[in-house]
Amino acid sequence: MDADGFWLFDLVGDDIAFWLGYLTNGKHLNWYASFRFTIMAAVFGGCLALVFGLLGAMAKASRFTPLRAIGTIYVSMVRGVPDVLFFLFFPLAFEQGVEWVWAMQVCTPDTIAATQANWPPCGEANWLLSTNEYLVLACVSLGIIFGAFTANVIHGAMRAVPQGQLEAARAYGMSDFQVLTRIHIRQMWVYALPGLSNVWLLLIKATSLLSLLQIADIVWWAGQLGSPNFLPQAGLVHGDWRWAYFIALFVFYILITLLSEKGFSRLTTWARRGMPVEG
């Protein structure tokens, strides 16, 4: 190899070493670590959405009028409120509600009266939430929001189950609870999974809102890392590179979507086992 070849090889090696060092610096490692917040919010938020959805659907289909009214109000109200608005409202309302209850215990009446314009009324009642606590509230918010959509899907799926199967189960002497758990819910999944897959993908997209709750998630770090940087001591002077980081997030969400579609396809196959194949 001639001298030019060695020079080119060294140049390429230096570039690779530089970019490896840049993409593995402290800020980028924090960005990679923040993916866990998105994944945890999706998984735990999805689990809570399924729980709230099942409870909401059973309440909506209940013969007990007050319970049916609660289920109907929950499904209709939450679905009618913009996702971002409710996502911000619930954690704020919960945080200030806890502070109000705590203020009634630790703040004196004179302090509360003198600081009505301040919140919380005294420093002892101030609740400073950590990232993990905000993440828990975010998961609950996602569960409540998409639980309403899940309840609507499950309610429709339960009504789609052929009545003949339910009547046959009752004829065998099953109680209403046995019919619900062994027949109705079991057959319901076949009709619910297509709608639930859509709800899951909507929930996945909603995880991009975590930064609104002061969580340094993948979207927040992408904006920080891609912002124009003209300080040489930061390691690399560059213009607005946010588009490149956001493209990386596009790829991440698309991969999650593809994996989710594969997963729901297998779940549908599992739910149809033992059922007659439609010709």
Side-chain angles (χ1 to χ4, degrees):
M1 184 180 296
D2 56 13
D4 291 338
F6 280 112
W7 175 82
L8 181 60
F9 182 79
D10 291 339
L11 181 61
V12 172
D14 291 341
D15 288 342
I16 293 176
F18 171 78
W19 284 108
L20 284 176
Y22 177 72
L23 294 175
T24 56
N25 62 20
K27 289 186 177 180
H28 280 85
L29 292 178
N30 287 332
W31 183 42
Y32 306 145
S34 68
F35 277 77
R36 73 185 187 276
F37 296 137
T38 298
I39 296 173
M40 291 173 64
V43 172
F44 292 112
C47 291
L48 289 174
L50 186 58
V51 172
F52 288 134
L54 285 169
L55 294 176
M58 288 190 291
K60 193 174 180 181
S62 175
R63 298 177 182 178
F64 186 52
T65 302
L67 189 59
R68 185 170 65 251
I70 292 173
T72 302
I73 292 172
Y74 164 64
V75 173
S76 302
M77 182 186 70
V78 176
R79 287 193 306 147
V81 177
D83 298 347
V84 177
L85 181 60
F86 194 92
F87 187 76
L88 292 173
F89 164 77
F90 174 76
L92 179 63
F94 183 83
E95 179 184 0
Q96 293 194 353
V98 171
E99 289 180 339
W100 179 81
V101 172
W102 189 241
M104 296 298 102
Q105 304 296 324
V106 300
C107 301
T108 62
D110 294 338
T111 303
I112 295 176
T115 58
Q116 292 182 356
N118 298 328
W119 189 265
C122 65
E124 293 80 2
N126 189 20
W127 185 23
L128 299 176
L129 275 70
S130 65
T131 297
N132 291 334
E133 291 168 335
Y134 273 121
L135 183 62
V136 171
L137 292 178
C139 292
V140 176
S141 295
L142 292 173
I144 294 174
I145 295 169
F146 292 98
F149 292 93
T150 301
N152 201 51
V153 170
I154 292 177
H155 179 70
M158 293 180 72
R159 297 182 64 181
V161 175
Q163 289 297 316
Q165 298 187 29
L166 307 181
E167 294 172 359
R170 295 189 183 95
Y172 273 102
M174 289 187 179
S175 64
D176 289 342
F177 181 77
Q178 289 174 323
V179 172
L180 175 66
T181 56
R182 297 184 181 182
I183 306 298
H184 208 165
I185 293 179
R186 164 68 181 83
Q187 299 293 335
M188 170 270 298
W189 292 113
V190 176
Y191 305 98
L193 282 173
L196 292 179
S197 66
N198 291 331
V199 175
W200 166 252
L201 294 179
L202 290 173
L203 188 150
I204 289 291
K205 293 196 297 183
T207 58
S208 60
L209 302 174
L210 292 178
S211 58
L212 297 179
L213 295 182
Q214 303 180 34
I215 299 175
D217 68 333
I218 55 177
V219 177
W220 186 86
W221 275 110
Q224 293 294 312
L225 292 170
S227 297
N229 174 46
F230 302 106
L231 299 175
Q233 61 268 29
L236 178 64
V237 175
H238 61 79
D240 194 342
W241 282 5
R242 285 175 294 182
W243 60 271
Y245 288 92
F246 289 149
I247 287 177
L249 296 186
F250 292 165
V251 173
F252 168 73
Y253 278 108
I254 289 173
L255 289 176
I256 293 295
T257 299
L258 294 176
L259 291 174
S260 298
E261 290 177 348
K262 290 287 186 181
F264 272 97
S265 177
R266 294 195 175 189
L267 280 176
T268 302
T269 302
W270 172 82
R272 288 185 179 277
R273 73 193 191 285
M275 298 184 64
V277 178
E278 298 179 0

